Amino acid sequence: YSHYIDVGRLEMICGPMFSGKSEELIRRLKRTILAGMPTIIFTPKIDNRYLENHICSHDGKQLEAVPISHIEEVLEHVTDETKVIGIDEVQFLDGEIVSVIMKLVNEGKRVICAGLDKDFKAESFGQMPELLALADDVTKLTAICMKCGRPANFTQRLIGGQPASYNDPLILIGASESYEARCRLCYKIDK
Ligand code: ADP
Ligand code: ZN
């Protein structure tokens, strides 16, 4: 046991909106930073919920992050010294997410990703299923259902306060759109 070497590792944090994915990611990354491990954090550029160069949880906790749109940009920032890589909202990134992340893991890095496992249609999100399968550790979080208080695994999309339909366009101009955490009983979608 004397020659401890860095073994790469992929940790996934998933669940619906408001389940505390960013909070959990921030908690883990604060610890690696405190331990003095070279850590770098990325956030998709399209997530302009709050400040662009930070990752934020819905309750206001935040850490400095590099905004990117393609996963390949991670490789421009990571060096040999980097030990820990955090990625928030990983499902929103373009590019070969799985191969870039696994390359980093195979180089001995600890990669921690947070992201939605399901979209508003309750279908698996992009490359998330493969990341979840390849991960060394998966944390699946629940929120609180905003209708009944049960544990919520679903993200309800609302347009003008009403449940969105399956075929509603992803980007709606001029409509008031919002998202809510819901349980399986309270989640609704018209097909
Ligand atoms: P995520 O990254 O999963 O969207 P965040 O970490 O950004 O979640 O936010 C989690 C925080 O959101 C909770 O600690 C709580 O303060 C707040 N919150 C708002 N709505 C809900 C809800 N329906 N269930 C649980 N937490 C909620
Ligand atoms: Zn419910």
Side-chain angles (χ1 to χ4, degrees):
Y1 300 105
S2 56
H3 41 279
Y4 180 90
I5 55 157
D6 284 334
V7 176
R9 181 179 165 78
L10 174 61
E11 295 168 34
M12 293 296 298
I13 304 164
C14 69
M17 277 179 77
F18 305 106
S19 61
K21 300 182 298 298
S22 301
E23 248 169 34
E24 177 60 16
L25 180 65
I26 291 167
R27 188 186 73 83
R28 292 187 199 179
L29 294 170
K30 277 191 173 157
R31 291 165 61 102
T32 69
I33 294 165
L34 273 169
M37 304 179 84
T39 298
I40 181 160
I41 310 165
F42 299 92
T43 186
K45 263 180 193 159
I46 56 163
D47 186 11
N48 54 2
R49 269 193 307 185
Y50 303 101
L51 300 165
E52 255 221 343
N53 57 344
H54 289 79
I55 60 171
C56 291
S57 67
H58 285 106
D59 74 346
K61 294 196 184 79
Q62 55 175 249
L63 274 182
E64 209 174 300
V66 181
I68 55 168
S69 29
H70 281 265
I71 188 77
E72 282 75 11
E73 291 170 60
V74 167
L75 303 173
E76 296 162 18
H77 294 273
V78 168
T79 67
D80 286 351
E81 281 68 48
T82 309
K83 292 244 185 277
V84 181
I85 298 151
I87 309 175
D88 201 12
E89 308 271 25
V90 67
Q91 80 286 342
F92 284 142
L93 289 171
D94 290 324
E96 298 296 319
I97 301 179
V98 175
S99 58
V100 171
I101 287 175
M102 292 320 292
K103 172 179 151 59
L104 295 164
V105 169
N106 288 323
E107 285 170 3
K109 316 280 191 206
R110 178 180 175 194
V111 182
I112 316 173
C113 300
L116 293 167
D117 47 354
K118 292 191 281 287
D119 61 17
F120 79 90
K121 300 172 181 183
E123 293 173 348
S124 55
F125 211 127
Q127 299 176 62
M128 287 296 281
E130 204 171 345
L131 289 176
L132 293 171
L134 296 174
D136 296 87
D137 182 85
V138 174
T139 300
K140 186 153 174 157
L141 300 171
T142 56
I144 297 297
C145 175
M146 294 305 276
K147 288 208 100 161
C148 76
R150 285 188 181 88
N153 270 312
F154 296 83
T155 303
Q156 177 72 55
R157 185 185 189 202
L158 298 165
I159 296 168
Q162 295 304 308
S165 299
Y166 189 87
N167 289 312
D168 279 336
L170 270 175
I171 294 165
L172 277 163
I173 314 277
S176 73
E177 208 193 359
S178 57
Y179 292 88
E180 250 180 24
R182 297 267 181 105
C183 73
R184 192 181 292 279
L185 283 176
C186 300
Y187 169 80
K188 283 192 177 54
I189 189 134
D190 290 326
K191 292 213 180 187

